[in-house]
Amino acid sequence: MSIITLQSVKKDFGIKEILKDASLSLDTTDKVGLIGTNGSGKSTLLKMIAGLESIDSGQILVNSGSKIIYLPQQPDLDEKRTVLEQVFADSGEHMTLVREYEELSHKLADYPDDTQLMSRLSTVMQRIDAIGAWELETNAKIILTKLGISDFDAIIGNLSGGYRKRIALATALLSEPDVLLMDEPTNHLDALSVEWLQSYLNRYRGALFLITHDRYFLDRVTNRIVEIDRGDIYTYTGNYSYYLEKKALAEESAVSSQRKHQGVLRRELEWLKRGPKARSTKQKARIERIHAMRETEFKQTQGKVDISTVGRRIGKKVIELNQISKAYNGRTLINNFTYEFSPEDRIGIIGGNGAGKSTLMDIITGRIQPDSGSIEIGTTIHIGYFNQHSEELLTALNENQRVIDYIKEEGEFVKINDGTQITASQMLERFLFPGNQQYAPIYKLSGGEKRRLFLLRILMSAPNVLILDEPTNDLDVQTLAVLEEYLEDFSGSVIVVSHDRYFLDRTIDTIFSFEAGGNLKQYPGNYSVYLDYKKAEEAAQQQAANTQEKPKNVVETQTRNADNKKPRRLSSWQKREFAALEDKIAQLEAEKTAAETAMTNVPPGNYTQVQKLYEQVELLKQSIDVATERWLELAEIEG
C-alpha cells in the first residue's frame, strides 16, 4: 500500500531543473536508496516529501495520520537540552511521565512521609508501566550507546557536529515513524556503528527513504533504488548491486537503439537525396517520418566525472615520522608512532571517532605540531590534502566568488594524461560543472558539489602524495567510483582516513588501526582482510583465556576425585595417549602461532595466501580444543 505518492512534481531553481515531471510512490514496506550526482536534487526531494521545500507544480500525497521523520545532514537541535532530553523530544507523554517520576523521587527523598507524594508517585509508575515508558528509556540508552554516545546528561551545545548528528539519528530511530527520511545517516559514524545501524534498519518495520554514499550499506539495507538523472526519476526494484546490473544494460540498450535510429535515418536521408517524387500517399508519409526522425532527441548517457590530471615525479624519500606523540587534555591520541612512507603506499587509517585520525593527518601536513618526535618530508613531495571539512575551507575563502574564478586561481590551463592542455572551464565540465554553473557563486552549490569542486582544485595542483580525510562524505557514488579508479593508477602515495568499508576495500592495501593508548597497529590487506585478522585475534585471545583456566579445572577435578574417594587408574594405552596428548597440544599450539605470524607477514595484496593461512589457523584451533578436552578427561581419571 502506498503511503506517499508524487504526481507530476516539478521543481526548478533557475540555473538547474531538479524535477521535470516526476511521479513516484513509496509503499509501507519499501526501503529505498536515492542516488544521483551531487547537485541532482536528492536532498531537495527529501525536503519536499518532508514538507520543508515547496514544489513548483504537481502534488505530493501522504496518507492521513502517517508520521514522517526527516533526518537532515545538519540537524538543528536545541542546544540547551541534554542528550536524553533530546532523544525523548518527540516522545510526548513518555518523557513527561519520566520527568515527573524523577521529580517526585527527589521530593520523596526529602519528605519520605508525604502521603500525597507517595500516592502521586504510585499513579505515575502505573501509567509508565501501562505505556512502556521504562522500555523507551532503556531503548534510548541502547541506541545511543551503539552510536558511540555514553554521556546521556551532556549538554547538546557542548558537543561537536558529529555527536549532534548521531544524537539526531538516535532521536529519529526512537520515534518509530511510519516513514523515515534520512540524508547521509552514516556520516560521522565509525564502522562498528554503521554495522549496527545497518542491522537495525534491516529489522525496521516502517518505510525508509535514504541518501547514502556507503555502497555496502545501500546493498544490504535497500530493496529499491531510485535515481535522479537530470530532472527525471528512474526506479529499480532491488538493491544497489541489482541497480548496477540493470543500469549497465539500460545504457547499453539506449546506445544500441540510438545507433539503429541513426542507421535508419542515414538510409532514409540517402533516399531523400535521390529526389523521389512525392506523388503517392506512401511516399508523403515516408518523407514526414524522416522529418520526425531528424527531430528525435536521445538522452545522452549520464555524464561522469573525468579525472585525468597529470601527476608529478616522486622521489624515494616521501614522509618519515619518527616517534611522533600527541596528547590533548591529558589524553594520548598518538603514542610514539614511527613509520616511513614509500612511494607505493596505499594506507587506510581507521579508528573510533576522536581516536586521533585527523590529528595524525594534520601533523603530517604541518597544520599542527606533535608534542614530541620529528617529521621529514622529501624535497620532491607535493601533498594534496582533501580534508573532511573542505567545504568549510572553500566557503571561508569567499562564498560569493564564482566557481570558474576559484579554479582559475590554481591555473588557467591544466595538462591532462595525454599531454594536451585544456582550459579551466573545460576541466570544470569534466567534473560535471556545466557552463551556467561555472559563473554562479560558490554558495549556490550543494555540499557535495563544493566537495567535488575542492577535489578538482587539489588534483589540478598535481600532487604526488594524496591525503584523503573522509573523502566519501557528501560525494555521490558515481564520483566515488571514478575516484577509486583514479587512485588505482595514481603514481604516488595515498593515505586514506575513512569509515567507508567499500572505499577502503577498493583503494588500500594496508590498514593502520588506532588502538588503546594512542598506539597504531599495522595490518596487511584491505578492510575486509583486516576484519578477518581481528576475528582471528579475538579467537586467539579467547583460546588463551581458556588455556589459563585449564589448570584450575584440573585442580577442581582432582579435588572432586579425592573427596569422592573413588580412585581410578589409566590403562597402559590410556597412559601412552595421555603422554602423547601433552606433546600433541604443544605441537599444535606452536603450529598455530607460526601460522598467525606468517599471516601478519604476508605481502600486501596477497589475499589468497591470507585466506589459506586464516583457514589453517581455524582448523588448528579446533584440533587444539578436541585434544585439550580429551586430555582433561584422562587427567580426571588419572587423579
Side-chain angles (χ1 to χ4, degrees):
M1 181 181 73
S2 295
I3 193 168
I4 295 175
T5 304
L6 279 68
Q7 295 180 348
S8 301
V9 174
K10 295 183 179 180
K11 182 68 177 180
D12 194 329
F13 282 129
I15 63 171
K16 182 180 293 184
E17 189 175 30
I18 300 299
L19 294 176
K20 295 178 180 177
D21 187 20
S23 295
L24 177 70
S25 65
L26 185 67
D27 293 343
T28 55
T29 58
D30 275 340
K31 288 183 169 61
V32 179
L34 180 60
I35 65 175
T37 57
N38 291 131
S40 61
K42 301 187 297 295
S43 296
T44 301
L45 177 55
L46 287 193
K47 290 177 183 177
M48 289 191 291
I49 294 175
L52 302 176
E53 182 75 49
S54 64
I55 60 176
D56 295 337
S57 63
Q59 57 182 341
I60 299 178
L61 306 175
V62 180
N63 282 2
S64 60
S66 297
K67 183 179 181 181
I68 299 176
I69 293 293
Y70 168 58
L71 177 69
Q73 289 190 44
Q74 298 178 335
D76 184 17
L77 306 181
D78 187 341
E79 297 193 351
K80 296 180 180 179
R81 287 175 174 163
T82 66
V83 171
L84 269 185
E85 286 174 344
Q86 178 60 48
V87 298
F88 283 134
D90 294 327
S91 301
E93 184 183 4
H94 295 75
M95 185 58 189
T96 302
L97 287 170
V98 170
R99 282 179 173 174
E100 186 175 359
Y101 170 81
E102 291 175 350
E103 291 173 1
L104 290 169
S105 297
H106 288 307
K107 289 180 180 179
L108 275 170
D110 297 328
Y111 307 100
D113 298 327
D114 192 321
T115 56
Q116 288 186 340
L117 286 176
M118 288 288 293
S119 176
R120 179 56 189 163
L121 181 64
S122 178
T123 302
V124 169
M125 290 176 66
Q126 290 176 10
R127 183 58 185 159
I128 286 176
D129 289 335
I131 66 174
W134 296 130
E135 183 181 351
L136 180 71
E137 183 177 12
T138 301
N139 289 341
K141 290 179 178 179
I142 291 173
I143 290 174
L144 287 167
T145 301
K146 291 295 185 181
L147 294 176
I149 299 170
S150 56
D151 187 355
F152 307 136
D153 296 321
I155 304 300
I156 301 293
N158 297 332
L159 301 177
S160 67
Y163 271 94
R164 295 186 190 196
K165 178 66 178 284
R166 280 179 272 162
I167 292 167
L169 174 57
T171 304
L173 296 178
L174 198 65
S175 64
E176 296 185 344
D178 300 298
V179 181
L180 187 53
L181 308 174
M182 311 175 81
D183 196 345
E184 296 290 358
T186 62
N187 279 5
H188 306 294
L189 296 184
D190 58 30
L192 290 178
S193 295
V194 172
E195 290 279 356
W196 174 84
L197 179 61
Q198 180 178 290
S199 175
Y200 184 94
L201 293 178
N202 280 329
R203 301 189 305 270
Y204 177 65
R205 295 182 179 180
L208 182 66
F209 203 1
L210 65 90
I211 302 168
T212 181
H213 61 266
D214 191 321
R215 285 150 289 178
Y216 280 154
F217 194 83
L218 268 178
D219 218 31
R220 295 166 186 174
V221 171
T222 63
N223 56 26
R224 281 178 67 196
I225 297 292
V226 171
E227 180 183 25
I228 301 182
D229 180 7
R230 290 160 291 180
D232 293 324
I233 281 183
Y234 301 92
T235 299
Y236 301 83
T237 302
N239 61 7
Y240 183 68
S241 295
Y242 178 86
Y243 154 78
L244 289 177
E245 293 175 8
K246 294 301 179 182
K247 179 70 173 176
L249 291 174
E251 290 185 350
E252 185 178 329
S253 176
V255 171
S256 177
S257 297
Q258 186 172 357
R259 287 174 179 169
K260 290 179 181 178
H261 176 86
Q262 291 172 342
V264 172
L265 179 59
R266 183 171 58 252
R267 290 192 295 272
E268 293 294 282
L269 289 173
E270 290 173 354
W271 177 79
L272 269 182
K273 289 177 182 179
R274 293 197 295 268
K277 296 180 180 179
R279 293 179 180 177
S280 70
T281 302
K282 289 183 177 181
Q283 287 178 322
K284 288 180 180 179
R286 186 173 181 181
I287 293 172
E288 290 174 0
R289 186 170 66 249
I290 294 171
H291 289 306
M293 289 180 69
R294 295 180 70 176
E295 295 174 359
T296 300
E297 292 185 3
F298 285 87
K299 190 167 189 176
Q300 299 298 314
T301 301
Q302 178 171 306
K304 294 181 180 179
V305 176
D306 182 2
I307 301 178
S308 55
T309 56
V310 171
R312 66 179 76 198
R313 186 184 70 84
I314 184 170
K316 291 183 179 180
K317 184 175 181 179
V318 183
I319 300 170
E320 296 179 3
L321 304 181
N322 184 34
Q323 297 183 330
I324 297 296
S325 293
K326 187 68 180 179
Y328 284 108
N329 300 321
R331 177 169 170 258
T332 300
L333 296 181
I334 303 168
N335 181 30
N336 200 31
F337 177 56
T338 297
Y339 186 75
E340 183 177 335
F341 291 90
S342 73
E344 299 82 21
D345 266 341
R346 297 288 188 275
I347 293 175
I349 312 288
I350 64 172
N353 290 306
K357 303 184 296 295
S358 295
T359 300
L360 178 60
M361 298 305 100
D362 285 338
I363 289 176
I364 292 174
T365 55
R367 284 165 170 76
I368 61 175
Q369 295 299 313
D371 297 336
S372 61
S374 61
I375 306 118
E376 294 184 25
I377 297 178
T379 56
T380 63
I381 298 305
H382 181 83
I383 297 175
Y385 186 23
F386 185 69
N387 84 44
Q388 61 177 315
H389 303 296
S390 55
E391 69 275 11
E392 297 174 10
L393 297 173
L394 186 66
T395 54
L397 297 175
N398 182 0
E399 66 176 11
N400 293 313
Q401 186 179 27
R402 296 185 307 178
V403 172
I404 185 72
D405 294 332
Y406 175 74
I407 290 300
K408 282 184 176 179
E409 287 180 351
E410 188 62 43
E412 294 276 351
F413 298 91
V414 60
K415 183 178 289 187
I416 58 177
N417 286 340
D418 62 8
T420 60
Q421 282 192 333
I422 62 174
T423 65
S425 177
Q426 290 172 319
M427 197 64 196
L428 278 167
E429 288 180 355
R430 287 170 174 246
F431 261 62
L432 304 187
F433 291 102
N436 58 342
Q437 253 193 324
Q438 293 179 19
Y439 290 89
I442 289 172
Y443 73 82
K444 286 195 173 183
L445 301 180
S446 69
E449 286 173 320
K450 291 175 183 177
R451 297 272 288 174
R452 193 188 329 134
L453 183 66
F454 195 78
L455 175 62
L456 168 58
R457 178 155 172 172
I458 289 172
L459 297 181
M460 283 180 63
S461 68
N464 48 26
V465 173
L466 263 178
I467 298 179
L468 307 174
D469 189 357
E470 296 294 359
T472 62
N473 285 359
D474 298 327
L475 286 180
D476 57 72
V477 294
Q478 292 91 338
T479 301
L480 288 176
V482 177
L483 178 57
E484 288 159 1
E485 293 176 6
Y486 171 81
L487 292 178
E488 286 182 4
D489 299 325
F490 179 72
S491 57
S493 187
V494 177
I495 308 169
V496 177
V497 175
S498 181
H499 63 270
D500 189 312
R501 301 158 293 174
Y502 191 101
F503 191 81
L504 288 173
D505 276 352
R506 282 288 310 272
T507 58
I508 60 97
D509 54 29
T510 302
I511 288 282
F512 284 168
S513 174
F514 272 83
E515 309 286 334
N519 296 309
L520 275 82
K521 189 171 183 179
Q522 182 176 343
Y523 296 86
N526 62 15
Y527 186 76
S528 292
V529 175
Y530 158 78
L531 290 180
D532 290 338
Y533 279 119
K534 294 301 288 185
K535 290 177 183 177
E537 286 180 357
E538 291 171 3
Q541 290 171 1
Q542 183 61 46
Q543 180 63 38
N546 292 340
T547 302
Q548 290 176 358
E549 293 176 0
K550 287 171 190 172
K552 179 181 177 182
N553 293 337
V554 173
V555 171
E556 290 175 350
T557 300
Q558 293 172 341
T559 303
R560 286 196 302 271
N561 288 338
D563 292 340
N564 292 336
K565 296 182 180 180
K566 294 180 180 178
R568 303 166 64 188
R569 293 190 178 272
L570 293 176
S571 65
S572 57
W573 66 266
Q574 285 177 326
K575 288 181 179 179
R576 287 195 297 271
E577 182 186 9
F578 186 53
L581 277 172
E582 292 179 348
D583 294 334
K584 182 178 180 181
I585 292 172
Q587 180 183 350
L588 289 171
E589 290 282 4
E591 289 177 7
K592 182 172 74 71
T593 301
E596 289 172 343
T597 302
M599 191 162 58
T600 61
N601 294 326
V602 173
N606 194 344
Y607 309 131
T608 302
Q609 182 65 13
V610 169
Q611 184 62 30
K612 287 181 179 178
L613 287 169
Y614 175 73
E615 292 172 356
Q616 181 182 346
V617 168
E618 291 300 307
L619 288 173
L620 286 168
K621 286 193 290 187
Q622 292 176 15
S623 299
I624 291 170
D625 289 342
V626 172
T628 302
E629 185 176 353
R630 178 58 178 163
W631 183 89
L632 288 170
E633 291 175 0
L634 296 174
E636 184 176 359
I637 297 173
E638 178 70 6

